[in-house]
Amino acid sequence: MSKEIPMETLASLCKRRGFIFQSSELYGGINGFWDYGPLGCELKRNIREAWWKAVVRNREDVVGLDASIIMHPAIWKASGHADGFADPMVDCRVCRKRFRADQLCEEQGLELIKNGSAFVLPEGAQCPACGAKHLTEPRSFNLMFKTFVGPVEDESNAAWLRPETAQAIFAQFNNIVATARQQIPFGVAQMGKSFRNEINPRNYTFRSREFEQMELEYFIRPDEAIELICGRVTTLADHPDLAGEPQESWGWEVWHRYWVEQRLTWYRAIGLPDADLEQYWQVGDELAHYARACVDIEYAFPFGVQELEGIAARSDFDLRQHQTHSGRPMDVFDEALKQAAAKLDDAARDSFTQKVVTEWTARGKSADDAQAFVTMLFAGKYVPHVIEPSAGTDRLALALLCNAYDEETLTDDKGKTDTRTVLRFHPAIAPIKLGVFPLVKNKPELYAKAREIFARLQRRWNCFWDESGAIGRRYRRMDEAGTPWCATIDFQTLEDGTVTLRDRDSMTQVRLSVAELIEKLDNEIG
Ligand code: GAP
């Protein structure tokens, strides 16, 4: 169920508290670009850290990559982005505003007509800004930002800012295989900036022109190789235990579902409620021609249920494209496969080959390609297939902010009511983990003790020192920043070393020693 927070209210809190600022605000701003302030950049760091921990550090089968943003333009030719990464765009002939044709139609309950690779506007489409029905026919607009490498601005020096982080993983695949000491199945993860010249950036930071992605390319054996090695391929119909250890016999369908479950588990673990997470499984011609399945993990934003992450089973398309365009082989050698194939007699080989040819031709592929593929398999080689979970860091930051936002009405002993604004972040995500307050600042001994405790805790977590104003006001400031706990150092601290720990959500207070406080935070932050 989507939360009913006006986005202006959230944006105003984000600005007031230093989460998100409009980029270049000093000069009137620049559409589709955002800056993360002191709290926002901690929030994003925590998101990246949590993703890296779940996807890379806590596993033995995923390694990382940190590639350059500008790469050889041939990469975008091979990936299809140079020719096909475009949105249909229309202009209003009256007010001269520009829109994405598919979004404009969707908002008006119409469907954009596909005519081969071109698009046609349906009857009745009108300009969302001025209402005129004088729109141009849709034209393709490539979303990549172009630049020039070196001093000469001609086509031979043209390059693009990457529109996704994924392609570098494919382009560096051979180097990673040669150095990472990993065997298929294994994954390569990368996070970083991506750039898309979106026609209509909108919904606050949701659709931006500069944003961050967290992408994993998880390479698996083709099902045919698994069949040779294991004798059969486990499919979803076998009800595999997706929460258990991955199995050698898992086919692409099981690996794909496994990653959907892994990613949903992670979103829940960082505080997004199950009720606000949805799955949208692409069907028919929504799927790219090479993709076997694609699911969007969506979140119920205040402006509607929208994509957080796409998880696609992309077959061997990407590595094959780079193999064709670079002329360099992208296959791997698999000893287990070589040994399994060596055990087959001629009749078994013929029957396996025939089976693969029949399956491939039924999927519209050529018999020659199937034959060549099987010949490679018998030699223990194949181009790996890939499952791609691809998430947006900024979209997730926005989802976490929307989810955390709460306004609570409090009534005091005298019946007076007051509204408390609080960001209920999961402790692992919260930008500041602990507010540390001296009860008073004019008692040198108490103040020094508080500084000593702060210095000790600050080494472990991002803590915030606040000595100004009444304790109640300091709590409220921390509530708006989403800080899960506040520790107050008072006169009793000087006697027995305990502090008062106040919980953001329940507002209850307990007395703990500093050692107990550290243990509690360690357990809850994770
Ligand atoms: N490599 C696959 C890929 O890039 P995508 O669905 O285009 O797939 C993946 O992008 C994720 O990146 C999206 O689910 C979204 O979270 C994020 N993303 C894409 N475009 C974005 C934009 N303009 N602004 C913010 N995030 C975006």
Side-chain angles (χ1 to χ4, degrees), residues 164 196 198 206 208 213 215 307-308 388 390 392 395:
E164 61 169 29
R196 297 183 188 177
E198 299 283 357
F206 179 83
S208 309
Q213 290 183 309
E215 299 197 281
E307 175 184 337
L308 273 184
E388 180 190 73
S390 170
R395 273 196 198 173

Side-chain angles (χ1 to χ4, degrees), residues 291-306:
R292 287 181 155 177
C294 186
V295 58
D296 294 340
I297 295 182
E298 300 178 325
Y299 173 74
F301 286 95
F303 45 83
V305 177
Q306 298 278 346

